[in-house]
Amino acid sequence: MSTRLSTLADAAGRPLRDVVYEALRSELMNGDITFGERLTEPKLSARFGISRTPIREALTVLCSDGLLQRAEYGFSPVRPSIPLIRDLYELRITLELGGIQRAMTNPAVRHDRELLSAERERWLELRADPPEQQPGFVVRDEEFHVTLLTASGNAELVRALVQVNSRIRHVRMYDFMVNNRIETTIAEHLGILDAVLADDLALAYRLLHTHIGESLDVVLDRVTKAVAAMSLATDRTP
């Protein structure tokens, strides 16, 4: 397995850490690693046929993603907390709407049109050729929201959003899978971008609010379904 893994990493131009990370993340999302299972550096090192260093680095990133937590022996999958997810979604809504709000209340604040125009082109390409329904789409979605907030010019808002995204990413991956939101998301992103680029910030604010979750109850309903799917996928008996 060592040769195959090294070949995959070399062919993709990525370090072994990233290849291990993606393999483990996929298994966590698909329920191949159950909530009660323990992951340890020695076992994973033997499994992948590589040294512990890239294993340790991959596990660290998965912990920062909120997918793993340190256990008494090694690491174990995180079981999502609905109250915590609610709090984080509320924070996300506040941060993202704050980016447009600051431009609405301060005439000196102007969105970076070049940055948003480039982002619009990327989403037009996705609309022309939508990706398959898969949890990794959440990363592209995060990039859109980070870019939109970055364009408003407040780096601290962006830094806070990136941190929130990393903590809700695992649940949002299931949201895209369970609720089939990819094509809807693409259309809504383009609508938001068009409104900002047309300087219709009031419309952009409303569209963004609806997109993220105008009703937090609706968002939590989706999250609850996502968490239920995670439990069904991972709480099965061997």
Side-chain angles (χ1 to χ4, degrees):
M1 182 174 291
S2 175
T3 300
R4 185 177 68 84
L5 190 60
S6 297
T7 300
L8 286 173
D10 291 342
R14 296 173 299 166
L16 289 173
R17 172 200 63 218
D18 293 348
V19 179
V20 172
Y21 165 78
E22 291 181 5
L24 293 178
R25 184 186 69 177
S26 177
E27 292 174 8
L28 285 162
M29 297 305 305
N30 293 330
D32 294 327
I33 299 174
T34 63
F35 281 126
E37 189 172 345
R38 291 290 185 269
L39 304 179
T40 65
E41 290 180 19
K43 288 182 179 179
L44 291 173
S45 178
R47 171 191 162 186
F48 287 105
I50 59 177
S51 70
R52 293 189 186 185
T53 299
I55 299 293
R56 185 179 306 117
E57 293 172 346
L59 292 172
T60 298
V61 177
L62 288 166
C63 284
S64 68
D65 285 350
L67 286 170
L68 289 179
Q69 60 188 353
R70 291 187 179 275
E72 185 175 358
Y73 299 103
F75 300 80
S76 64
V78 172
R79 197 180 288 269
S81 162
I82 296 297
L84 175 59
I85 295 299
R86 180 189 181 95
D87 290 347
L88 291 171
Y89 260 91
E90 287 183 346
L91 178 55
R92 180 192 174 202
I93 290 170
T94 299
L95 292 169
E96 294 209 40
L97 293 180
I100 295 181
Q101 184 67 45
R102 67 190 302 268
M104 293 173 67
T105 57
N106 184 354
V109 175
R110 302 284 295 176
H111 281 83
D112 185 329
R113 300 182 67 85
E114 183 177 349
L115 185 64
L116 293 184
S117 294
E119 186 69 13
R120 183 176 183 273
E121 289 302 316
R122 282 189 285 272
W123 286 90
L124 285 173
E125 292 177 2
L126 288 173
R127 185 175 67 180
D129 185 19
E132 295 181 2
Q133 187 175 343
Q134 53 183 307
F137 181 78
V138 74
V139 176
R140 288 183 174 179
D141 180 77
E142 286 180 9
E143 290 172 351
F144 165 83
H145 289 279
V146 169
T147 298
L148 180 62
L149 190 54
T150 299
S152 72
N154 187 314
E156 292 304 317
L157 287 177
V158 174
R159 186 173 293 108
L161 178 61
V162 169
Q163 293 175 349
V164 170
N165 282 342
S166 70
R167 298 178 67 186
I168 61 176
R169 182 177 299 134
H170 58 312
V171 174
R172 296 194 65 238
M173 285 179 176
Y174 268 89
D175 183 13
F176 279 115
M177 293 298 290
V178 173
N179 298 297
N180 194 20
R181 291 179 46 78
I182 290 180
E183 292 191 5
T184 298
T185 295
I186 293 172
E188 291 178 356
H189 283 184
L190 286 169
I192 294 165
L193 288 169
D194 287 344
V196 176
L197 289 170
D199 291 325
D200 192 343
L201 297 182
L203 174 60
Y205 186 95
R206 291 196 301 272
L207 292 175
L208 181 60
H209 197 182
T210 300
H211 172 66
I212 301 173
E214 186 170 17
S215 169
L216 194 57
D217 289 337
V218 174
V219 173
L220 289 176
D221 179 64
R222 294 206 316 264
V223 169
T224 300
K225 290 178 181 177
V227 172
M230 294 172 76
S231 297
L232 286 173
T234 58
D235 280 343
R236 63 179 183 266
T237 55

